[in-house]
Amino acid sequence: MMSTEGKRNSGLRERKKAKTMASVQMHALRLFREQGYSATTVEQIAEAAEISPSTFFRYFSTKEDVMINDNYDPLLIAAFEDQPAGLSPIQAVRAAINAGISEMSTDELDVMRQRDELIGRVPELRAANLKNMIQTIELMAGMLAKRTGRSSDDLEIRTLAGAIVGVNTSIMLYCAEHREFDFAERMDKALSFLEAGLPLQNIE
């Protein structure tokens, strides 16, 4: 088992990597706005971020990945595993997400919103994001399975993982279109609604 010091150092490395990736994404977003997504090259993004193309590809496999991928998953997993055993799986996810968002800077949150807005508009990114969602469900299923002592192939685990990822996706896209709303607050409310069993009532 990794020591507390080891976990802290690992967390700091992941946090530094996440910040570097967010910086590259910020430059990419600016170029996409100025030139259009299709007209912007990896070489131009690397030059704007003051890194080499080879360094770019250490962080992102393709141009699509610069908008789809980040390094927040390891941070989410670590925060999730640190939650008290007495919390329900959804409560642990809520607490982990809140902890992660609280560590993000205003610039990082703004980059995330802009990424989500662009994903909603560019067909190539929507297709790449679908693949990423499938991978995220796999990740979430593994987290939930480990916490509950079940298999990641368990139907209830898969269902809950899909529901949590669906909530996350819907709120991210919603907040990308409605910048006046606080992302952390909306996400927490949505997960609370899911935990309550989605008690949707008809409006009289």
Side-chain angles (χ1 to χ4, degrees):
M1 181 179 294
M2 186 180 293
S3 66
T4 300
E5 184 65 23
K7 285 186 176 180
R8 183 179 301 112
N9 289 337
S10 177
L12 289 173
R13 285 194 299 271
E14 295 294 349
R15 187 68 191 153
K16 182 178 180 180
K17 185 177 180 181
K19 283 183 174 294
T20 300
M21 293 175 77
S23 175
V24 176
Q25 289 168 334
M26 180 176 65
H27 288 289
L29 280 165
R30 177 180 59 78
L31 290 172
F32 294 156
R33 287 195 303 269
E34 293 174 356
Q35 304 177 169
Y37 175 79
S38 297
T40 301
T41 66
V42 167
E43 288 74 19
Q44 289 171 333
I45 296 170
E47 182 179 1
E50 299 183 340
I51 60 174
S52 67
S54 61
T55 299
F56 175 95
F57 286 116
R58 284 208 298 269
Y59 290 103
F60 306 101
S61 299
T62 65
K63 187 173 75 170
E64 286 82 4
D65 282 347
V66 79
M67 290 293 97
I68 300 299
N69 293 346
D70 53 44
N71 202 51
Y72 295 118
D73 285 348
L75 301 174
L76 173 63
I77 293 171
F80 181 78
E81 292 179 344
D82 284 343
Q83 298 310 312
L87 296 183
S88 71
I90 296 182
Q91 287 172 336
V93 170
R94 289 174 64 189
I97 290 177
N98 285 334
I101 293 174
S102 69
E103 294 184 3
M104 294 176 70
S105 67
T106 301
D107 285 344
E108 287 178 292
L109 286 170
D110 188 52
V111 167
M112 184 178 68
R113 285 177 183 267
Q114 291 183 56
R115 284 171 52 202
D116 294 337
E117 184 179 12
L118 192 67
I119 288 169
R121 291 192 287 106
V122 178
E124 300 97 314
L125 294 178
R126 288 202 300 270
N129 191 51
L130 178 59
K131 178 181 177 181
N132 184 65
M133 285 178 60
I134 294 171
Q135 294 172 340
T136 305
I137 290 173
E138 296 288 345
L139 172 70
M140 184 61 66
M143 291 166 52
L144 296 171
K146 183 176 180 180
R147 186 175 183 87
T148 60
R150 298 190 181 202
S151 166
S152 59
D153 289 332
D154 184 291
L155 178 61
E156 293 181 355
I157 288 291
R158 304 289 298 189
T159 300
L160 181 56
I164 291 172
V165 172
V167 166
N168 182 72
T169 301
S170 66
I171 295 302
M172 290 179 71
L173 294 175
Y174 181 83
C175 287
E177 297 176 356
H178 301 83
R179 289 176 171 257
E180 69 274 18
F181 292 123
D182 181 83
F183 173 75
E185 179 187 8
R186 292 281 160 166
M187 182 66 72
D188 193 63
K189 284 185 176 180
L191 288 171
S192 176
F193 182 56
L194 175 63
E195 186 176 23
L198 306 175
L200 192 62
Q201 302 294 327
N202 292 332
I203 298 178
E204 297 287 336

